[in-house]
Amino acid sequence: MTNFTPREIVSELDRYIVGQKGAKRAVAVALRNRWRRQQVEPDLRDEIAPKNIIMIGPTGVGKTEIARRLAKLAQAPFIKVEASKFTEVGYVGRDVESMVRDLVELAIHMVKEEEAQAVRLKAEDLAEERLLDLLLPGQSTAEDDSREATRDKLRRLLRLGELNERYVEIETQEAKIPSMEVLTPPGAEDMGLNIKEMFGNLFPKKSKRRRIKVGEARQLLIDEEAEKLVDMEKVHTLARERTEQSGIIFIDEIDKIASREGVQGPEVSREGVQRDILPIVEGSTVNSKYGPVKTDHILFIAAGAFHLSKPSDLIPELQGRFPIRVELESLGEEEFVRILTEPKNALLRQYRALMATEGIELEFADDGVHEIARTAADVNDRTENIGARRLHTILEKLLEEISFDAPEREESRIRIDAALVRERLAQIVCDEDLSRYIL
């Protein structure tokens, strides 16, 4: 696990997310506490439970992005799930344990890539020998010095990349699995996957000869040799351990399963879903095809807008499992200006890069940037508030004509100022009914 201080974590999040200081501090402390727990004596370590977080705020203010960037920073298995797609056991829909199984699958992929990277040098050597056998076929003898000299010369040319355009014929294997659909009862999706895997192992692998360039063949052979060298039993063990100790599950739209106060009539088993999620958040053992996985130390981050309900509408037991509550502020014109210009992946930087591929240099004047931000804030106030996502729709509409004509345009430099923004968007912004559909 990476050893970042809370201040360093917040600083890293600031590179991609504007504002929301409270939420950043909360997740930074939660991540640091995981490192602290690893330093504690083993007998007490198991007693320290993660402090789960619930983030409250409208859509488009950075809830998902904070959790996603945090997981990338921690190099931890991370999965985002929608609470509304789960149903109580016995109803049609996904059962809540599938989120843990999906997290294990992600961890397997992560660890497998790391292990393959660790044996890559050895895999490269083995792949090189196989390529040389293809480039210089036939058996070598002890007396054949000229053959060894030729082989060494080919090896040198191969490493210099001078043989990359030559063609070789290699044999690849692919599993021949018949097309089939396995119908399983609700909540038993894994059973269908296991049956497919079982049938896949019964059918022999089909060999196929392909004629490809040396450069491509080298990469294929390296991947093939690395896969042979990776110990999958070790991968499964490490992945389960990483899931249990540093996994992060982000449960979005949790307000959709809160029972609204004073609402009568059938509510699609909202409380039932909460009661099913509860044991996983509390700490239980979930069976996966790689073995049992304990959820006691998985960090859960829940998020929701809570427009029609409030966190206190969740069942008390579930509320108690999310001790840290953070409210995210709505975004206004000032924040939109910063979102457009400051982050490492700022929207204007993305559009400049896209247009540069067509040989067009986009220049955004300061007054143009402020006009885009003002328009986005204005439309959010008068229609639905979708936060920073409004900037995407505004920019797409603003640059629609430029993007369409880009390949045929003769001018190589286009300046976007306030006058141009008003000209392109004035009619749509003024007509509220039209802006509901277009922006």
mmCIF file of all heavy atoms in Angstrom, residues 270-310:
data_model
loop_
_atom_site.group_PDB
_atom_site.id
_atom_site.type_symbol
_atom_site.label_atom_id
_atom_site.label_comp_id
_atom_site.label_asym_id
_atom_site.label_seq_id
_atom_site.Cartn_x
_atom_site.Cartn_y
_atom_site.Cartn_z
ATOM 1 N N ARG A 270 -37.186 -1.569 -1.063
ATOM 2 C CA ARG A 270 -36.055 -0.697 -0.710
ATOM 3 C C ARG A 270 -35.384 -1.151 0.587
ATOM 4 O O ARG A 270 -34.167 -1.289 0.651
ATOM 5 C CB ARG A 270 -36.539 0.746 -0.547
ATOM 6 C CG ARG A 270 -37.009 1.412 -1.823
ATOM 7 C CD ARG A 270 -37.656 2.736 -1.491
ATOM 8 N NE ARG A 270 -38.306 3.330 -2.647
ATOM 9 C CZ ARG A 270 -37.747 4.226 -3.447
ATOM 10 N NH1 ARG A 270 -36.526 4.624 -3.238
ATOM 11 N NH2 ARG A 270 -38.411 4.725 -4.466
ATOM 12 N N GLU A 271 -36.208 -1.362 1.620
ATOM 13 C CA GLU A 271 -35.638 -1.735 2.922
ATOM 14 C C GLU A 271 -34.986 -3.109 2.870
ATOM 15 O O GLU A 271 -33.979 -3.361 3.524
ATOM 16 C CB GLU A 271 -36.738 -1.709 3.994
ATOM 17 C CG GLU A 271 -36.170 -1.654 5.401
ATOM 18 C CD GLU A 271 -37.246 -1.393 6.446
ATOM 19 O OE1 GLU A 271 -37.945 -0.372 6.343
ATOM 20 O OE2 GLU A 271 -37.361 -2.238 7.356
ATOM 21 N N GLY A 272 -35.546 -3.992 2.032
ATOM 22 C CA GLY A 272 -34.962 -5.329 1.877
ATOM 23 C C GLY A 272 -33.554 -5.266 1.323
ATOM 24 O O GLY A 272 -32.665 -6.001 1.759
ATOM 25 N N VAL A 273 -33.312 -4.366 0.348
ATOM 26 C CA VAL A 273 -31.976 -4.211 -0.233
ATOM 27 C C VAL A 273 -31.015 -3.686 0.835
ATOM 28 O O VAL A 273 -29.879 -4.152 0.949
ATOM 29 C CB VAL A 273 -31.998 -3.245 -1.447
ATOM 30 C CG1 VAL A 273 -30.594 -3.060 -2.014
ATOM 31 C CG2 VAL A 273 -32.919 -3.761 -2.538
ATOM 32 N N GLN A 274 -31.478 -2.728 1.643
ATOM 33 C CA GLN A 274 -30.629 -2.192 2.721
ATOM 34 C C GLN A 274 -30.238 -3.307 3.692
ATOM 35 O O GLN A 274 -29.085 -3.390 4.109
ATOM 36 C CB GLN A 274 -31.385 -1.104 3.490
ATOM 37 C CG GLN A 274 -31.623 0.166 2.692
ATOM 38 C CD GLN A 274 -32.339 1.200 3.534
ATOM 39 O OE1 GLN A 274 -31.861 1.591 4.603
ATOM 40 N NE2 GLN A 274 -33.491 1.652 3.064
ATOM 41 N N ARG A 275 -31.201 -4.163 4.024
ATOM 42 C CA ARG A 275 -30.906 -5.253 4.979
ATOM 43 C C ARG A 275 -29.966 -6.287 4.369
ATOM 44 O O ARG A 275 -29.212 -6.942 5.080
ATOM 45 C CB ARG A 275 -32.211 -5.919 5.442
ATOM 46 C CG ARG A 275 -33.069 -4.985 6.271
ATOM 47 C CD ARG A 275 -34.066 -5.697 7.157
ATOM 48 N NE ARG A 275 -34.831 -4.716 7.913
ATOM 49 C CZ ARG A 275 -34.405 -4.130 9.030
ATOM 50 N NH1 ARG A 275 -33.206 -4.436 9.518
ATOM 51 N NH2 ARG A 275 -35.147 -3.260 9.675
ATOM 52 N N ASP A 276 -29.993 -6.445 3.048
ATOM 53 C CA ASP A 276 -29.058 -7.360 2.379
ATOM 54 C C ASP A 276 -27.654 -6.764 2.298
ATOM 55 O O ASP A 276 -26.659 -7.483 2.375
ATOM 56 C CB ASP A 276 -29.558 -7.692 0.963
ATOM 57 C CG ASP A 276 -30.730 -8.666 0.982
ATOM 58 O OD1 ASP A 276 -30.996 -9.232 2.055
ATOM 59 O OD2 ASP A 276 -31.382 -8.848 -0.064
ATOM 60 N N ILE A 277 -27.580 -5.432 2.100
ATOM 61 C CA ILE A 277 -26.274 -4.761 2.039
ATOM 62 C C ILE A 277 -25.624 -4.737 3.418
ATOM 63 O O ILE A 277 -24.386 -4.840 3.533
ATOM 64 C CB ILE A 277 -26.433 -3.318 1.483
ATOM 65 C CG1 ILE A 277 -26.714 -3.357 -0.018
ATOM 66 C CG2 ILE A 277 -25.177 -2.480 1.740
ATOM 67 C CD1 ILE A 277 -26.980 -1.999 -0.644
ATOM 68 N N LEU A 278 -26.444 -4.629 4.466
ATOM 69 C CA LEU A 278 -25.937 -4.469 5.839
ATOM 70 C C LEU A 278 -24.883 -5.496 6.251
ATOM 71 O O LEU A 278 -23.801 -5.113 6.708
ATOM 72 C CB LEU A 278 -27.120 -4.466 6.823
ATOM 73 C CG LEU A 278 -26.766 -4.277 8.298
ATOM 74 C CD1 LEU A 278 -26.102 -2.927 8.540
ATOM 75 C CD2 LEU A 278 -28.006 -4.407 9.173
ATOM 76 N N PRO A 279 -25.130 -6.830 6.113
ATOM 77 C CA PRO A 279 -24.100 -7.789 6.557
ATOM 78 C C PRO A 279 -22.775 -7.651 5.809
ATOM 79 O O PRO A 279 -21.714 -7.907 6.373
ATOM 80 C CB PRO A 279 -24.740 -9.164 6.297
ATOM 81 C CG PRO A 279 -25.909 -8.920 5.430
ATOM 82 C CD PRO A 279 -26.343 -7.510 5.663
ATOM 83 N N ILE A 280 -22.828 -7.230 4.521
ATOM 84 C CA ILE A 280 -21.583 -7.073 3.752
ATOM 85 C C ILE A 280 -20.791 -5.888 4.291
ATOM 86 O O ILE A 280 -19.572 -5.955 4.439
ATOM 87 C CB ILE A 280 -21.902 -6.894 2.253
ATOM 88 C CG1 ILE A 280 -22.461 -8.202 1.711
ATOM 89 C CG2 ILE A 280 -20.661 -6.512 1.463
ATOM 90 C CD1 ILE A 280 -22.924 -8.152 0.295
ATOM 91 N N VAL A 281 -21.493 -4.787 4.605
ATOM 92 C CA VAL A 281 -20.816 -3.602 5.157
ATOM 93 C C VAL A 281 -20.332 -3.885 6.579
ATOM 94 O O VAL A 281 -19.250 -3.449 6.978
ATOM 95 C CB VAL A 281 -21.763 -2.375 5.121
ATOM 96 C CG1 VAL A 281 -21.088 -1.149 5.707
ATOM 97 C CG2 VAL A 281 -22.204 -2.076 3.688
ATOM 98 N N GLU A 282 -21.126 -4.635 7.345
ATOM 99 C CA GLU A 282 -20.746 -4.985 8.731
ATOM 100 C C GLU A 282 -19.506 -5.869 8.754
ATOM 101 O O GLU A 282 -18.657 -5.746 9.627
ATOM 102 C CB GLU A 282 -21.900 -5.757 9.394
ATOM 103 C CG GLU A 282 -22.967 -4.883 9.975
ATOM 104 C CD GLU A 282 -24.038 -5.708 10.671
ATOM 105 O OE1 GLU A 282 -24.308 -6.841 10.227
ATOM 106 O OE2 GLU A 282 -24.603 -5.229 11.650
ATOM 107 N N GLY A 283 -19.450 -6.777 7.784
ATOM 108 C CA GLY A 283 -18.344 -7.737 7.742
ATOM 109 C C GLY A 283 -18.889 -9.150 7.706
ATOM 110 O O GLY A 283 -19.456 -9.626 8.686
ATOM 111 N N SER A 284 -18.747 -9.798 6.573
ATOM 112 C CA SER A 284 -19.210 -11.183 6.425
ATOM 113 C C SER A 284 -18.289 -11.891 5.447
ATOM 114 O O SER A 284 -17.344 -11.293 4.925
ATOM 115 C CB SER A 284 -20.657 -11.201 5.922
ATOM 116 O OG SER A 284 -20.744 -10.544 4.672
ATOM 117 N N THR A 285 -18.559 -13.156 5.203
ATOM 118 C CA THR A 285 -17.741 -13.930 4.268
ATOM 119 C C THR A 285 -18.563 -14.230 3.027
ATOM 120 O O THR A 285 -19.660 -14.779 3.110
ATOM 121 C CB THR A 285 -17.254 -15.240 4.905
ATOM 122 O OG1 THR A 285 -16.509 -14.920 6.090
ATOM 123 C CG2 THR A 285 -16.367 -16.016 3.966
ATOM 124 N N VAL A 286 -18.030 -13.828 1.880
ATOM 125 C CA VAL A 286 -18.715 -14.046 0.597
ATOM 126 C C VAL A 286 -17.950 -15.117 -0.172
ATOM 127 O O VAL A 286 -16.728 -15.041 -0.304
ATOM 128 C CB VAL A 286 -18.780 -12.733 -0.219
ATOM 129 C CG1 VAL A 286 -19.349 -12.983 -1.608
ATOM 130 C CG2 VAL A 286 -19.595 -11.674 0.509
ATOM 131 N N ASN A 287 -18.687 -16.110 -0.677
ATOM 132 C CA ASN A 287 -18.040 -17.173 -1.452
ATOM 133 C C ASN A 287 -17.859 -16.732 -2.897
ATOM 134 O O ASN A 287 -18.795 -16.247 -3.523
ATOM 135 C CB ASN A 287 -18.881 -18.449 -1.398
ATOM 136 C CG ASN A 287 -18.806 -19.109 -0.037
ATOM 137 O OD1 ASN A 287 -17.731 -19.207 0.554
ATOM 138 N ND2 ASN A 287 -19.937 -19.532 0.489
ATOM 139 N N SER A 288 -16.626 -16.879 -3.392
ATOM 140 C CA SER A 288 -16.351 -16.602 -4.806
ATOM 141 C C SER A 288 -15.694 -17.849 -5.388
ATOM 142 O O SER A 288 -15.324 -18.768 -4.655
ATOM 143 C CB SER A 288 -15.413 -15.399 -4.937
ATOM 144 O OG SER A 288 -14.097 -15.768 -4.579
ATOM 145 N N LYS A 289 -15.526 -17.884 -6.708
ATOM 146 C CA LYS A 289 -14.928 -19.076 -7.318
ATOM 147 C C LYS A 289 -13.436 -19.180 -7.023
ATOM 148 O O LYS A 289 -12.812 -20.187 -7.339
ATOM 149 C CB LYS A 289 -15.189 -19.108 -8.821
ATOM 150 C CG LYS A 289 -14.602 -17.974 -9.627
ATOM 151 C CD LYS A 289 -15.003 -18.151 -11.085
ATOM 152 C CE LYS A 289 -14.459 -17.019 -11.936
ATOM 153 N NZ LYS A 289 -14.857 -17.152 -13.343
ATOM 154 N N TYR A 290 -12.864 -18.123 -6.404
ATOM 155 C CA TYR A 290 -11.450 -18.158 -6.015
ATOM 156 C C TYR A 290 -11.286 -18.448 -4.520
ATOM 157 O O TYR A 290 -10.185 -18.394 -3.995
ATOM 158 C CB TYR A 290 -10.780 -16.827 -6.357
ATOM 159 C CG TYR A 290 -10.940 -16.451 -7.808
ATOM 160 C CD1 TYR A 290 -11.789 -15.410 -8.188
ATOM 161 C CD2 TYR A 290 -10.274 -17.151 -8.807
ATOM 162 C CE1 TYR A 290 -11.960 -15.073 -9.530
ATOM 163 C CE2 TYR A 290 -10.442 -16.825 -10.149
ATOM 164 C CZ TYR A 290 -11.283 -15.795 -10.495
ATOM 165 O OH TYR A 290 -11.452 -15.480 -11.826
ATOM 166 N N GLY A 291 -12.395 -18.700 -3.837
ATOM 167 C CA GLY A 291 -12.347 -18.977 -2.402
ATOM 168 C C GLY A 291 -13.130 -17.935 -1.610
ATOM 169 O O GLY A 291 -13.584 -16.934 -2.164
ATOM 170 N N PRO A 292 -13.298 -18.156 -0.294
ATOM 171 C CA PRO A 292 -14.061 -17.215 0.533
ATOM 172 C C PRO A 292 -13.348 -15.865 0.694
ATOM 173 O O PRO A 292 -12.132 -15.819 0.818
ATOM 174 C CB PRO A 292 -14.200 -17.931 1.878
ATOM 175 C CG PRO A 292 -13.078 -18.923 1.906
ATOM 176 C CD PRO A 292 -12.795 -19.298 0.489
ATOM 177 N N VAL A 293 -14.114 -14.775 0.678
ATOM 178 C CA VAL A 293 -13.566 -13.424 0.825
ATOM 179 C C VAL A 293 -14.263 -12.736 1.993
ATOM 180 O O VAL A 293 -15.489 -12.659 2.028
ATOM 181 C CB VAL A 293 -13.784 -12.593 -0.466
ATOM 182 C CG1 VAL A 293 -13.226 -11.185 -0.302
ATOM 183 C CG2 VAL A 293 -13.149 -13.277 -1.666
ATOM 184 N N LYS A 294 -13.466 -12.240 2.946
ATOM 185 C CA LYS A 294 -14.034 -11.519 4.090
ATOM 186 C C LYS A 294 -14.161 -10.040 3.764
ATOM 187 O O LYS A 294 -13.251 -9.450 3.183
ATOM 188 C CB LYS A 294 -13.132 -11.701 5.318
ATOM 189 C CG LYS A 294 -13.133 -13.114 5.870
ATOM 190 C CD LYS A 294 -12.257 -13.202 7.108
ATOM 191 C CE LYS A 294 -12.276 -14.617 7.678
ATOM 192 N NZ LYS A 294 -11.402 -14.723 8.866
ATOM 193 N N THR A 295 -15.290 -9.439 4.163
ATOM 194 C CA THR A 295 -15.527 -8.026 3.835
ATOM 195 C C THR A 295 -15.300 -7.101 5.038
ATOM 196 O O THR A 295 -15.597 -5.913 4.954
ATOM 197 C CB THR A 295 -16.967 -7.830 3.312
ATOM 198 O OG1 THR A 295 -17.890 -8.109 4.371
ATOM 199 C CG2 THR A 295 -17.264 -8.734 2.138
ATOM 200 N N ASP A 296 -14.751 -7.637 6.137
ATOM 201 C CA ASP A 296 -14.603 -6.852 7.379
ATOM 202 C C ASP A 296 -13.804 -5.566 7.192
ATOM 203 O O ASP A 296 -14.079 -4.556 7.861
ATOM 204 C CB ASP A 296 -13.911 -7.692 8.469
ATOM 205 C CG ASP A 296 -14.676 -8.962 8.783
ATOM 206 O OD1 ASP A 296 -14.816 -9.794 7.864
ATOM 207 O OD2 ASP A 296 -15.135 -9.121 9.922
ATOM 208 N N HIS A 297 -12.785 -5.592 6.312
ATOM 209 C CA HIS A 297 -11.888 -4.426 6.193
ATOM 210 C C HIS A 297 -11.948 -3.753 4.818
ATOM 211 O O HIS A 297 -11.079 -2.946 4.487
ATOM 212 C CB HIS A 297 -10.456 -4.842 6.535
ATOM 213 C CG HIS A 297 -10.324 -5.351 7.930
ATOM 214 N ND1 HIS A 297 -10.444 -4.545 9.033
ATOM 215 C CD2 HIS A 297 -10.149 -6.614 8.402
ATOM 216 C CE1 HIS A 297 -10.320 -5.268 10.128
ATOM 217 N NE2 HIS A 297 -10.138 -6.528 9.781
ATOM 218 N N ILE A 298 -12.987 -4.076 4.038
ATOM 219 C CA ILE A 298 -13.208 -3.368 2.776
ATOM 220 C C ILE A 298 -13.785 -1.996 3.118
ATOM 221 O O ILE A 298 -14.644 -1.866 3.982
ATOM 222 C CB ILE A 298 -14.164 -4.156 1.848
ATOM 223 C CG1 ILE A 298 -13.481 -5.444 1.349
ATOM 224 C CG2 ILE A 298 -14.615 -3.302 0.665
ATOM 225 C CD1 ILE A 298 -14.382 -6.359 0.532
ATOM 226 N N LEU A 299 -13.278 -0.948 2.441
ATOM 227 C CA LEU A 299 -13.786 0.406 2.685
ATOM 228 C C LEU A 299 -14.984 0.659 1.767
ATOM 229 O O LEU A 299 -14.898 0.477 0.557
ATOM 230 C CB LEU A 299 -12.689 1.439 2.396
ATOM 231 C CG LEU A 299 -13.091 2.919 2.518
ATOM 232 C CD1 LEU A 299 -13.449 3.281 3.950
ATOM 233 C CD2 LEU A 299 -11.989 3.826 1.993
ATOM 234 N N PHE A 300 -16.108 1.066 2.365
ATOM 235 C CA PHE A 300 -17.315 1.374 1.594
ATOM 236 C C PHE A 300 -17.520 2.887 1.573
ATOM 237 O O PHE A 300 -17.516 3.537 2.621
ATOM 238 C CB PHE A 300 -18.549 0.698 2.215
ATOM 239 C CG PHE A 300 -18.558 -0.799 2.041
ATOM 240 C CD1 PHE A 300 -17.913 -1.628 2.957
ATOM 241 C CD2 PHE A 300 -19.192 -1.384 0.953
ATOM 242 C CE1 PHE A 300 -17.902 -3.002 2.799
ATOM 243 C CE2 PHE A 300 -19.181 -2.764 0.784
ATOM 244 C CZ PHE A 300 -18.546 -3.572 1.703
ATOM 245 N N ILE A 301 -17.668 3.424 0.365
ATOM 246 C CA ILE A 301 -17.992 4.850 0.209
ATOM 247 C C ILE A 301 -19.341 4.914 -0.497
ATOM 248 O O ILE A 301 -19.475 4.433 -1.621
ATOM 249 C CB ILE A 301 -16.917 5.589 -0.612
ATOM 250 C CG1 ILE A 301 -15.536 5.458 0.053
ATOM 251 C CG2 ILE A 301 -17.282 7.063 -0.777
ATOM 252 C CD1 ILE A 301 -14.381 6.041 -0.761
ATOM 253 N N ALA A 302 -20.336 5.460 0.189
ATOM 254 C CA ALA A 302 -21.675 5.571 -0.404
ATOM 255 C C ALA A 302 -21.907 7.018 -0.815
ATOM 256 O O ALA A 302 -21.330 7.947 -0.243
ATOM 257 C CB ALA A 302 -22.734 5.120 0.589
ATOM 258 N N ALA A 303 -22.751 7.208 -1.826
ATOM 259 C CA ALA A 303 -23.029 8.567 -2.294
ATOM 260 C C ALA A 303 -24.461 8.657 -2.786
ATOM 261 O O ALA A 303 -25.034 7.680 -3.278
ATOM 262 C CB ALA A 303 -22.066 8.943 -3.416
ATOM 263 N N GLY A 304 -25.030 9.835 -2.651
ATOM 264 C CA GLY A 304 -26.393 10.053 -3.138
ATOM 265 C C GLY A 304 -26.750 11.525 -3.089
ATOM 266 O O GLY A 304 -26.162 12.296 -2.320
ATOM 267 N N ALA A 305 -27.711 11.905 -3.920
ATOM 268 C CA ALA A 305 -28.137 13.311 -3.954
ATOM 269 C C ALA A 305 -29.073 13.638 -2.785
ATOM 270 O O ALA A 305 -29.091 14.763 -2.295
ATOM 271 C CB ALA A 305 -28.825 13.603 -5.284
ATOM 272 N N PHE A 306 -29.864 12.653 -2.353
ATOM 273 C CA PHE A 306 -30.827 12.818 -1.250
ATOM 274 C C PHE A 306 -31.730 14.038 -1.472
ATOM 275 O O PHE A 306 -31.911 14.862 -0.589
ATOM 276 C CB PHE A 306 -30.096 12.916 0.107
ATOM 277 C CG PHE A 306 -29.488 11.607 0.535
ATOM 278 C CD1 PHE A 306 -28.140 11.352 0.314
ATOM 279 C CD2 PHE A 306 -30.250 10.618 1.126
ATOM 280 C CE1 PHE A 306 -27.567 10.131 0.690
ATOM 281 C CE2 PHE A 306 -29.695 9.396 1.514
ATOM 282 C CZ PHE A 306 -28.357 9.156 1.296
ATOM 283 N N HIS A 307 -32.310 14.139 -2.688
ATOM 284 C CA HIS A 307 -33.266 15.211 -2.987
ATOM 285 C C HIS A 307 -34.618 14.909 -2.349
ATOM 286 O O HIS A 307 -35.234 15.771 -1.723
ATOM 287 C CB HIS A 307 -33.462 15.360 -4.507
ATOM 288 C CG HIS A 307 -32.294 15.970 -5.204
ATOM 289 N ND1 HIS A 307 -31.675 17.107 -4.734
ATOM 290 C CD2 HIS A 307 -31.615 15.607 -6.332
ATOM 291 C CE1 HIS A 307 -30.665 17.412 -5.539
ATOM 292 N NE2 HIS A 307 -30.617 16.517 -6.516
ATOM 293 N N LEU A 308 -35.089 13.658 -2.540
ATOM 294 C CA LEU A 308 -36.424 13.271 -2.064
ATOM 295 C C LEU A 308 -36.379 12.546 -0.735
ATOM 296 O O LEU A 308 -37.409 12.288 -0.131
ATOM 297 C CB LEU A 308 -37.107 12.376 -3.118
ATOM 298 C CG LEU A 308 -37.241 12.991 -4.519
ATOM 299 C CD1 LEU A 308 -37.757 11.959 -5.509
ATOM 300 C CD2 LEU A 308 -38.178 14.200 -4.484
ATOM 301 N N SER A 309 -35.189 12.177 -0.294
ATOM 302 C CA SER A 309 -35.049 11.497 0.999
ATOM 303 C C SER A 309 -33.842 12.077 1.706
ATOM 304 O O SER A 309 -33.169 12.966 1.189
ATOM 305 C CB SER A 309 -34.865 9.988 0.773
ATOM 306 O OG SER A 309 -33.733 9.757 -0.056
ATOM 307 N N LYS A 310 -33.572 11.601 2.901
ATOM 308 C CA LYS A 310 -32.404 12.075 3.647
ATOM 309 C C LYS A 310 -31.694 10.876 4.270
ATOM 310 O O LYS A 310 -32.291 9.798 4.405
ATOM 311 C CB LYS A 310 -32.821 13.103 4.707
ATOM 312 C CG LYS A 310 -33.982 12.719 5.572
ATOM 313 C CD LYS A 310 -34.445 13.926 6.384
ATOM 314 C CE LYS A 310 -35.564 13.568 7.349
ATOM 315 N NZ LYS A 310 -36.814 13.174 6.663
#
